[in-house]
Amino acid sequence: MRADPAVLLDVSRLISRLGGGPATGIDRVEAEWLAHLQGRPHLLLCRVRRGQLLLPPQAGAAILRWLGGALDGLPPPDLLDRLRGRRTLPARAEAALRRMALMRAGPEGRGLGRAALAHLGQAVYVNVGHANLQAGLLANLRPLPRAVLIHDTIPLDHPEFTRAGQADRFRDRFVAAVAGAELILTVSDATRGDVLRWRARLGLPGHAPVVAAPIGTRLAAPDPAGLPADLDLSRPFFVALGTIEPRKNHALLLDAWQMLGRMPDPPRLFIIGRRGWENREVFSRLDRLPPGGPVRELSDLDDGAVAALLARSHGLLMPSRAEGFGLPLTEAAGRGIPVLATPLPAARETLGDYAIWLSPDAPADWAAELARLSDAAPRRLPPLPVPDWDRHFALFHDGLSRSLRDPSVTAM
């Protein structure tokens, strides 16, 4: 196989997430892969209602336009979706993609592998979105080699942080990926260790190399135009960035700000991110925040607005209890913004001594450090070199080349 084979990229996650609020880290990775493939030999695969679609390259250009907000050209949902009351953006996108499809297949994609091979010649199936991972589909994609990116094993390690039933669904996807792929990529060395540990614990085949290929960080240009007009930036403030879910540990920040409330003029906290799941107590606390108080919840900010806040902040706060990588960490460190975070393996691997490391169970320590930092002008550090996308793609191609040179892999 040539060094850089054509790619059959699975975009099922991107389509399912259209209109679902600010992009998550996994969304951004799938979008980066899609953008990377523009102008390169590729096709797309998308799971839709009751089946799978094999899509031409122009579908990718359309999806990127939709992600950018150009939705005017989307048709209405198909008749069956309309009859069922499904009028969402994903339903409209699926209607558009069905019209472009090179081939339609059932849910397990029978015949898709050979059809993609006929269009592309040498090619590899790539799934970077934790979606559409099922054993039957992966088997039916043969004779294409299959490469899967695993972002973390949090649902296996910490089922208490996930929605009901998600841990079991993730386990099924994990088993399908590890048993059915020729190459497993991970977003960090820490996650690579987690994948190897769970592969052994579940007794899964060990034929596929597991390669750490840290994802890149794209630093958006600051653009304050997207910030709320009434946002007061005249006082010291900190930023917490990410979905409001249990493992992100926003409760610690709210506890710390209760302690800071004893100060005559406490710093501000801007919590940026959509509300997630299984987090009713934190949501209730957020709902009770007084208008004009030191803590404010912000959602639906675009990347430029988030960058503008980071650029003026006293620091990024990330008291997470579990992470596979943590894009906000590199988005801040790449700009020289101070970072206060919990010393998780993936975070320590990425930031080293750059961050101020604090326990996820010590709000008083966080409050003390926040008071110290806010008592001076915003501190700026030498920007930390952060992973770039070119290296991620190079590691993918190198890992794929090595895996396919191994006779024990090519025989699978």
Side-chain angles (χ1 to χ4, degrees), residues 183-273:
L183 174 65
I184 303 296
L185 301 170
T186 65
V187 298
S188 63
D189 281 316
T191 299
R192 179 179 185 273
D194 293 334
V195 168
L196 292 173
R197 172 169 51 85
W198 276 103
R199 183 169 75 177
R201 182 177 297 184
L202 296 173
L204 299 174
H207 67 275
V210 182
V211 176
I215 54 179
T217 300
R218 194 172 297 282
L219 300 179
D223 181 6
L227 294 173
D230 64 343
L231 196 63
D232 181 7
L233 304 182
S234 65
R235 304 174 186 181
F237 68 88
F238 296 84
V239 169
L241 178 59
T243 303
I244 306 172
E245 55 170 301
R247 70 180 175 91
K248 297 293 188 179
N249 200 17
H250 289 83
L252 176 138
L253 297 179
L254 296 178
D255 290 343
W257 251 266
Q258 279 190 329
M259 299 173 185
L260 291 169
R262 302 169 191 145
M263 298 171 59
D265 189 15
R268 274 33 185 171
L269 170 63
F270 297 139
I271 297 176
I272 304 172

Side-chain angles (χ1 to χ4, degrees), residues 14 42-43 57 80 82 189-190 199 228 257 278 285 298 381 387:
L14 283 180
H42 74 282
L43 295 176
L80 188 54
R82 297 200 302 274
D189 281 316
R199 183 169 75 177
W257 251 266
E278 307 295 341
R285 293 178 71 179
L298 302 169
L381 305 170

